[in-house]
Every structure is written in C-alpha cells, then in structure tokens.
C-alpha cells in the first residue's frame, strides 16, 4: 500500500515538483501561551463550513426552491428520506454553531490584536466572510418557507429598505419585487447555494493562503519575549492532530444536538395570513433588532430606525477597518482603547441579545 | 516478541493501539457514510394507481387527429382516425422513450427523435423502435371517452 502511494507521489512530484509545496505547507509554528486555546476557533469555523457544504449539497438533492414546493419538499426530507431529518437538523444546528464560532474567532483575533500589520488582509477577508455568514443565515432561513421565516424575511428586508438612498432599490433587489413572494425565495435560494458559496470559497482561499504565508500571529506580549523563552508547537502534525481531535468532539456535539433537538418545520407560509405573535429574527440578528426598538420614532428630522441602521453600519465599517486606524498595536504598543471598545461590543451584544430573547 | 529497549510488550502494545485506532476510524467513517448513502437513495413515493382516465367528450374531438393525455404520470396518445376509429396507445416510444405524435399527413404515429414509425394499432413499422406501443382500452360512455389499462 505504502509503495503505491510513494509511486503516485513520485509520479506527481516529477511533473509538478511537490517538494516546494510540501515545504511551504510544512513550515508553520503555533505559539504556545496561556491564550493558545483561541487559536482553535478558526479551525472549528472551517470545519463548520465543510459540514455546511456537505449537508447543503445533500439537501439540494431533494429540496425544491419554489414557493409551491419548498415547504413540502422539506417536509418530504424530514419525514420520508432516510436520515433526512438528521441531515437537515445538522445543517440547521451547524449554521448556528458556525456563526457562534465565527463570533468567538473574530473577537479572539480582535483582542489578541492579530489584525495588526502585516495581517490587515487576513482580518478584512475574515470580516467579509463573517458578514457572508450572516447572509447565509438570513437567506437560508427563508428556504423552508414556513410562517416564521416568511415574516422574518419580510421584517429583515423592510429594515434594509430603511437605509437612505440605496435602501429602496436594495429591498426590491433582495425581494425580487415589492413584496416577499416566490420570487424572493428563488432569489435567496440562488444567493444561498450558488453566489455566496462561490464568493465565500474565494475569500476562504485567500484567508488560508495568507495564514500559511505569514504564519500564525504572535500576540504582543508573546512577541516581546526573548527567542529562547518562546514556546512553539509545529503546526504539522502537532497542532493539526489537536485540531482534528477537536473537530471530532465538535461533530459529536453536533450529532447530539441534531438528534435530541431536531430542527422543526412549523407551518407553511401563507402570504395572505396575518403574522403570528412573537416574530423574532435568529439569535445572531437579535441584538440589532432589539436595539432598533429603543430608538425613538423620530430623531431631529430623521426617522429613528434609519439613524439606528446608519449607526450599526458605521460601527461595522469602523470594526472592519480597525487594522488601519489602530496604529498603536501595529507598532507593538498597548492600545487600551481598543480593548475597552471590544469589551463594550461584547457586553452590548450579550445584553441586547438577552433582552431580545426575553421580550 | 521483540525486545525493544528492554520493554518486551512495546511492539504488541503499539500494534494493539494501532488496531484500536483503525477500528475506531473505520467505525466512525461507517457511521457517517451509512446515513449519507441511505439518504441518497430516493424513497419510494406511493403513486396513485390510475385505472381509468377521461379523454374528454367525443364531440370535442375532431376526426383525423390525435392528442396526448395524462394517464397517471405516463402520457397516452389517443387517435381518432379518419375512418372513425378510436385508438389509445402508450405515447412513449419503445426505442428511447420520446413522446410520439399522430401525423395526419402520413396517417401514422411518428416519433420525432429518431424517425420511428408505428401504424395506428401501435405496430412498429419503420425506423428504430424494437416493439409495438402498448395499447390501452378505449370505451365511449355517454359521449365521453374513457381510457383504461388492458386487462
């Protein structure tokens, strides 16, 4: 067996000189310090992405993306297809855990200031992928075409419609018309399974190549140590094996959640019925949804909701561009302001999510 | 038993762990692959058993013409010939399953895909079709045409 692999390897090596590639892949070290645990969340997010692609492709074999058939086809998957309930439940659970682990990954990179020079592009691609995750969540939520998802999409796209100038056309573009209809479903289905995965894969490729090329970031407190005191661990195989072990644990957690708390389907959407009480977005949009409720209906001459959306937009842009305005960290100095800002963001998100969940 | 650095059981113990790991990996792979393969197998959908289907009123059906009707989820060709006979045949060409049509100008049934020809009784008379078209029973009851399977 080993000889066959060797033969195959030599055959390819002779043609494309694998040796350089193997060397490129092999040289990478993971710093070992008391915050090393956070290094795992990028890998865990990657694993969730792989799971989403796999289960997503499986669901595509039976799912029908039209308002007449979507609900019934998901019902068919849940009730008739062998292990269909499991595949759908894993897809639904992994979506939520994916966003959760992306949140953790983002905040750990933020607090370790790993975005500082020379890793600005890694941060930007990561943030773009994070926004895409939210887009995946939003578009995927509608696909079962049940009452809850129908009205959540209505509210979500309505909020997007409040953005000044581009809001109106944006809403029509997302909805594929003035209202949430079968056209919206077709559109979000296309985004969810074709457009977003394509863009996401490109961003992910850049993100990973940059990490491979630049190596794992050392936090400021670690890079200041003398070389003799720096503890590191080779990425291959030591860190990778730990990664794989964690993936295995994650997969088991996922399986337990999917088996014991399977995704439910609800009632088929009826565009001509009134919205049921307690329409709420998914938890990862809840903090924004909840804070918009606290804005007065009018602030000076502007619509309160519009001001709220603009504020969130500005915060997002500021967050995205942090490697460019946090010069201190790039010089290797402490930047307490960034820490407090991050801490504020975490506390704000947790409290408002909780309030939104209670209401 | 090899004596590796004075530890007689090391190789055995290592082998044992290797087997344990391989069995674990295999078991794990199986528990993932089995559901995926089962999922990919399309479930049997209970088809509604169709025994008889109406092909419309005889008075609405011009002579020397044909039409395709749905019989369950299969197409059936009904031909009202110039001499006043009704024929009902499976519309699936026996060659490669294209849907056939009645050709008024040739007075026969023709498959557009590979120029297969059948007479009005469904017999394959020219071209690639290997077998005749399956005939259906036609009954006219109170001016309405009913198609049913041959007993």
């Amino acid at each position: 067996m080993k000889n066959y692999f060797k033969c195959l390897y030599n055959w390819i090596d002779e043609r494309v000189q694998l040796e350089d590639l193997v060397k490129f892949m092999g040289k990478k070290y993971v710093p070992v310090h008391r915050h090393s645990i956070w290094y795992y969340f990028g890998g865990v997010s990657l694993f969730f992405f792989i799971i989403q692609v796999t289960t997503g492709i499986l669901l595509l074999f039976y799912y029908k993306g039209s308002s007449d058939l979507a609900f019934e086809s998901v019902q068919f998957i849940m009730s008739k297809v062998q292990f269909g309930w499991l595949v759908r439940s894993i897809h639904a659970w992994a979506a939520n855990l994916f966003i959760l682990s992306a949140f953790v990954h983002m905040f750990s990179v933020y607090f370790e200031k790993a975005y500082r020079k020379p890793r600005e592009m890694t941060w930007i691609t990561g943030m773009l992928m994070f926004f895409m995750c939210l887009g995946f969540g939003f578009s995927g939520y509608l696909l079962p075409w049940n009452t809850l998802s129908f009205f959540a999409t209505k509210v979500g796209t309505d909020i997007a419609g409040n953005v000044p100038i581009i809001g109106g056309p944006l809403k029509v573009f997302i909805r594929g018309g003035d209202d949430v209809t079968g056209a919206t479903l077709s559109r979000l289905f296309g985004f969810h399974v074709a457009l977003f995965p394509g863009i996401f894969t490109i961003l992910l490729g850049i993100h990973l190549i940059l990490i491979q090329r630049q190596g794992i970031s050392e936090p400021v407190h670690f890079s200041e140590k003398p070389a003799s005191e720096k503890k590191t661990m080779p990425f291959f195989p030591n860190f990778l094996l730990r990664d794989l072990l964690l993936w295995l644990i994650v997969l088991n957690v996922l399986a337990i959640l999917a088996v014991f708390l399977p995704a439910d389907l609800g009632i088929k959407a009826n565009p001509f019925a009134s919205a049921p009480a307690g329409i709420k977005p998914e938890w990862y949009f809840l903090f924004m949804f909840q804070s918009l409720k606290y804005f007065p209906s009018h602030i000076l001459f502007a619509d309160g909701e519009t001001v709220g959306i603009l504020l969130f937009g500005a915060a997002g842009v500021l967050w995205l561009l942090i490697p460019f305005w946090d010069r201190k960290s790039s010089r290797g100095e402490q930047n307490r302001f960034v820490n407090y800002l991050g801490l504020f963001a975490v506390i704000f998100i947790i409290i408002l999510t909780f309030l939104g969940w209670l209401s | 038993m090899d004596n590796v650095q004075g530890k007689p059981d090391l190789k055995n113990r290592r082998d044992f762990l290797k087997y344990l790991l391989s069995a674990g990996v295999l078991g794990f792979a199986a528990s993932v692959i089995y559901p995926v393969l089962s999922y990919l197998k399309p479930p049997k959908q209970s088809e509604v058993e169709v025994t008889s289907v109406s092909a419309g009123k005889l008075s609405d059906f011009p002579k020397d013409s044909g039409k395709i009707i749905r019989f369950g989820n299969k197409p059936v060709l009904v031909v009202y010939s110039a001499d006043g006979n009704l024929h009902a045949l499976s519309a699936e060409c026996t060659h490669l399953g294209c849907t056939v049509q009645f050709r008024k100008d040739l007075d026969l049934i023709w498959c557009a895909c590979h120029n297969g020809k059948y007479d009005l009784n469904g017999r394959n008379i020219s071209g690639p079709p290997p077998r005749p078209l399956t005939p259906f029973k036609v009954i006219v009851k109170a001016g309405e045409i009913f198609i049913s399977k041959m007993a």
Side-chain angles (χ1 to χ4, degrees):
Chain A
M1 200 66 179
K2 246 179 193 159
N3 275 331
Y4 288 116
F5 279 128
K6 190 98 193 134
C7 273
L8 185 69
Y9 178 86
N10 288 339
W11 190 91
I12 300 173
D13 186 42
E14 203 183 327
R15 282 152 185 88
V16 290
Q17 283 73 49
L18 279 178
E19 218 155 288
D20 298 343
L21 191 68
V22 171
K23 229 182 241 167
F24 176 67
M25 297 300 289
K27 67 138 221 239
K28 195 164 61 170
Y29 289 91
V30 180
V32 178
H33 49 82
R34 66 199 161 94
H35 295 305
S36 284
I37 179 150
W38 304 111
Y39 289 126
Y40 290 96
F41 282 88
V44 168
S45 305
L46 174 64
F47 180 56
F48 280 125
F49 178 66
I50 296 168
I51 288 183
Q52 288 308 72
V53 171
T54 318
T55 51
I57 290 172
L58 287 175
L59 289 171
L60 265 180
F61 287 135
Y62 294 108
Y63 177 73
K64 297 185 176 107
S66 90
S67 56
D68 295 334
L69 302 169
F71 183 85
E72 283 79 2
S73 69
V74 177
Q75 212 165 32
F76 180 74
I77 291 171
M78 297 290 284
S79 57
K80 294 271 161 53
V81 181
Q82 294 192 66
F83 296 103
W85 61 274
L86 182 65
V87 173
R88 173 163 180 253
S89 297
I90 287 183
H91 197 74
W93 268 111
N96 285 298
L97 296 180
F98 185 9
I99 290 176
L100 185 65
S101 96
F103 258 118
V104 174
H105 181 47
M106 176 182 79
F107 276 113
S108 61
V109 167
Y110 180 92
F111 285 117
E112 298 284 8
K113 318 280 186 337
Y115 53 75
R116 68 188 193 277
K117 192 185 167 189
R119 294 187 173 78
E120 299 95 327
M121 289 185 289
T122 322
W123 170 262
I124 298 269
T125 49
M127 279 309 296
L128 294 179
M129 280 192 282
F130 180 73
F131 293 142
M132 296 214 70
C133 280
L134 299 179
F136 270 118
F138 185 75
S139 56
Y141 195 53
L142 180 67
L143 300 188
W145 197 248
N146 56 30
T147 311
L148 224 57
S149 69
F150 177 81
F151 286 104
T153 305
K154 229 173 157 74
V155 174
T157 47
D158 241 359
I159 290 175
N162 273 325
V163 180
I165 304 164
I166 58 160
L170 181 70
K171 187 169 91 175
V172 174
F173 172 70
I174 299 174
R175 287 185 173 180
D178 288 325
D179 290 305
V180 176
T181 59
T184 319
L185 180 65
S186 301
R187 208 156 266 228
L188 292 191
F189 180 45
F191 290 160
H192 190 78
V193 305
L195 183 66
F196 291 173
I199 300 173
F200 194 96
T201 306
I202 294 170
L203 289 172
L204 181 61
I206 300 173
H207 196 76
L208 293 179
I209 288 171
L210 284 169
I211 294 165
Q212 189 62 42
R213 181 80 184 162
Q214 299 178 322
I216 306 271
S217 157
E218 297 177 352
V220 180
H221 61 80
F222 184 89
S223 59
E224 281 168 350
K225 282 184 187 174
S228 57
E229 280 176 34
K230 283 185 183 176
K231 262 178 78 183
T232 60
M233 163 197 311
F235 183 85
F236 183 85
N238 302 38
F239 190 77
L240 187 71
L241 284 174
R242 280 156 212 251
D243 243 355
L244 289 178
L245 184 64
L246 186 59
W247 288 17
L248 196 64
I249 294 168
V250 165
L251 190 62
N252 280 296
V253 170
L254 196 56
I256 289 168
L257 288 171
V259 167
F260 291 106
L261 299 164
D264 63 354
L265 184 53
I267 304 158
K268 187 176 175 173
N270 179 359
F272 301 103
S274 44
I279 286 290
K280 246 182 252 176
E282 287 275 73
W283 63 269
Y284 38 87
F285 292 121
L286 212 48
F287 74 96
M288 287 189 273
F289 184 73
Q290 185 65 20
S291 11
L292 286 179
K293 284 190 193 166
Y294 296 124
F295 280 89
S297 59
H298 287 285
I299 299 174
L300 296 175
F301 301 106
D303 184 49
E305 203 146 81
T306 308
V307 173
I309 293 160
L310 287 179
L311 281 178
F312 272 116
V317 171
L318 220 62
W319 195 262
L320 174 72
L321 297 179
I322 191 170
F324 302 102
W325 57 260
D326 176 18
R327 298 261 169 218
K328 263 186 166 174
S329 296
S330 289
R331 286 197 299 267
E333 294 165 29
Q334 278 261 15
N335 192 342
R336 286 191 187 282
F337 172 70
V338 169
N339 287 344
Y340 293 134
L341 186 71
L343 214 57
F344 170 75
V346 173
I347 294 169
F348 177 83
I349 290 175
I350 290 176
I351 289 179
L352 277 141
T353 305
F354 190 65
L355 288 174
W357 184 68
L358 282 182
S359 71
Chain B
M1 221 159 286
D2 280 10
N3 215 339
V4 186
Q5 293 178 342
K7 290 177 188 166
D9 284 342
L10 193 66
K11 189 162 181 295
N12 263 345
R13 216 181 290 170
R14 177 156 286 217
D15 280 348
F16 175 71
L17 285 174
K18 260 189 195 165
Y19 289 131
L20 207 62
L21 184 69
S22 319
V25 168
L26 279 179
F28 185 75
S31 67
V32 170
I33 292 166
Y34 175 71
V36 169
L37 289 182
S38 323
Y39 177 92
L40 289 174
K41 204 174 80 197
K44 287 224 178 349
Q45 297 217 52
S46 50
E47 275 173 33
V48 183
E49 187 69 34
V50 180
T51 49
S52 174
V53 158
S54 164
K57 289 231 179 298
L58 187 61
S59 50
D60 300 338
F61 200 177
K63 267 191 188 177
D64 202 14
S65 73
K67 65 176 173 185
I68 304 277
I69 60 157
R70 277 184 63 142
F71 192 91
N73 49 13
K74 298 275 185 205
V76 167
L77 175 69
V78 187
V79 176
Y80 194 12
S81 65
D83 53 15
N85 285 323
L86 278 168
H87 306 269
L89 301 155
S90 156
E92 280 184 332
C93 181
T94 53
H95 176 217
L96 291 171
C98 292
T99 304
V100 296
Q101 55 184 283
F102 174 67
R103 280 281 294 266
K104 203 172 168 170
D105 51 338
L106 303 172
D107 199 32
L108 46 73
I109 295 161
W110 177 66
C111 179
C113 291
H114 301 95
N115 202 23
K117 285 170 187 160
Y118 306 85
D119 68 14
L120 292 188
N121 293 315
R123 252 187 326 202
N124 45 324
I125 48 176
S126 139
R131 280 184 312 279
L133 296 169
T134 314
F136 283 72
K137 217 196 289 189
V138 191
I139 302 165
V140 180
K141 220 191 272 173
E144 199 171 350
I145 310 164
F146 288 97
I147 311 297
S148 56
K149 269 192 181 148
M150 289 282 186

